[in-house]
C-alpha cells in the first residue's frame, strides 16, 4: 500500500484522528468511522492506532467482520501492541465466537500483564466459552430426547394401528436410531448457532 505523496499530510491525519476520537466519545460512530478512514488516507505511514480506533467504531456499530479486519491490520502493523488484540477480541465476542475471543484476550493480556481489565476480560471470556459449551451439549441432549420420544410415539402408534401390542425391541431400536439422528441434528444446530 502506497499513498501518493501529494495526499500525505501527517498533521491533517493527527487532526482528523482527534476529531474522530471526539465524535466516537460523543457516540457518533458513523462520523468517527468516516474521520478515521480519512486519517488513514492522510497518514504518511500505516498507523496501527488508526486501524484500532476504526475497529472500535465498527464494533460499536455491530459490524464485527469489518472490525475484525481492521483489528487484524492493527495487529499486523504492531503485533506486540495489546490494544490491537483487545479490539479483535471485542469484535469476536460480539460475533459470539467466544473461544476465538478468549484466545485474543489471552494474547493481549500476555502482552500487558499489568492491565487488570484485560485479566478480567480473560476470565469473562473463559466463562463464556464454558457456557457456550454447556449450551452446545444441551442442543445435542435435547435433540436426542426429542428423537427418542418421537420414535416411541411412532412405533407404538403403528403397532396399535395394526391391532398389535408394541414390541419392546422394535421400540428401542427405533428410539436408538432416532436418538442418534436427533443428537446429530442437535450438534449441527449447535454449530449453526455460531453463524
Amino acid at each position: 500500500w502506497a499513498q501518493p505523496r501529494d495526499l500525505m499530510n501527517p498533521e491533517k491525519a493527527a487532526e482528523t484522528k482527534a476529531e474522530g476520537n471526539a465524535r466516537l466519545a460523543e457516540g457518533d460512530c458513523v462520523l468517527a468511522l468516516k474521520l478515521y478512514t480519512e486519517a488513514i488516507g492522510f497518514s504518511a505511514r500505516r498507523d496501527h492506532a488508526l486501524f484500532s480506533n476504526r475497529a472500535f467504531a465498527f464494533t460499536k456499530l455491530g459490524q464485527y467482520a469489518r472490525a475484525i479486519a481492521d483489528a487484524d491490520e492493527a495487529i499486523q502493523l504492531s503485533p506486540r501492541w495489546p490494544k490491537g488484540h483487545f479490539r479483535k477480541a471485542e469484535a469476536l465476542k460480539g460475533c459470539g465466537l467466544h473461544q476465538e475471543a478468549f484466545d485474543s484476550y489471552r494474547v493481549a493480556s500476555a502482552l500487558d500483564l499489568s492491565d487488570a481489565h484485560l485479566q478480567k476480560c480473560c476470565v469473562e471470556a473463559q466463562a463464556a466459552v464454558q457456557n457456550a459449551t454447556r449450551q452446545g451439549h444441551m442442543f445435542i441432549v435435547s435433540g436426542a430426547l426429542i428423537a427418542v420420544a418421537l420414535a416411541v410415539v411412532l412405533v407404538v402408534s403403528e403397532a396399535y394401528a395394526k391391532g398389535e401390542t408394541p414390541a419392546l425391541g422394535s421400540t428401542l431400536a427405533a428410539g436408538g436410531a432416532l436418538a442418534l439422528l436427533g443428537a446429530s441434528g442437535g450438534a449441527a444446530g449447535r454449530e449453526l448457532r455460531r453463524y
Side-chain angles (χ1 to χ4, degrees):
W1 183 83
Q3 178 73 297
R5 286 221 175 272
D6 57 335
L7 296 179
M8 288 184 211
N9 186 335
E11 294 80 24
K12 184 71 173 165
E15 178 185 309
T16 308
K17 176 185 175 185
E19 183 67 20
N21 291 346
R23 297 296 76 78
L24 193 60
E26 293 171 357
D28 190 348
C29 298
V30 173
L31 183 54
L33 276 173
K34 179 181 180 288
L35 292 165
Y36 291 138
T37 301
E38 287 178 15
I40 289 168
F42 289 130
S43 184
R45 61 178 177 78
R46 306 277 290 166
D47 184 351
H48 62 280
L50 288 171
F51 285 97
S52 173
N53 289 2
R54 194 168 70 173
F56 182 49
F58 277 131
T59 298
K60 288 282 200 183
L61 290 170
Q63 295 185 17
Y64 303 117
R66 295 179 83 178
I68 292 166
D70 272 358
D72 280 339
E73 184 69 23
I75 291 166
Q76 182 180 358
L77 293 168
S78 185
R80 301 208 40 82
W81 189 52
K83 192 176 260 188
H85 297 279
F86 173 75
R87 295 287 190 228
K88 183 174 183 177
E90 289 288 289
L92 289 164
K93 179 175 83 171
C95 289
L97 299 172
H98 301 294
Q99 181 62 56
E100 293 83 349
F102 174 63
D103 295 341
S104 289
Y105 282 128
R106 249 189 356 209
V107 172
S109 180
L111 291 170
D112 186 357
L113 297 172
S114 66
D115 190 328
H117 181 251
L118 288 175
Q119 301 293 328
K120 181 181 176 204
C121 288
C122 280
V123 170
E124 291 171 355
Q126 188 172 29
V129 168
Q130 291 168 345
N131 186 42
T133 301
R134 275 192 300 279
Q135 287 179 350
H137 290 149
M138 289 307 298
F139 264 94
I140 294 169
V141 170
S142 298
L145 290 175
I146 290 169
V148 167
L150 182 59
V152 169
V153 167
L154 289 174
V155 169
V156 169
S157 63
E158 181 183 350
Y160 281 124
K162 292 179 180 177
E164 303 170 353
T165 304
L168 181 61
S170 62
T171 304
L172 290 177
L178 282 177
L180 182 60
L181 183 63
S184 298
R190 175 190 66 193
E191 290 304 311
L192 289 174
R193 260 186 82 227
R194 292 177 55 161
Y195 305 101

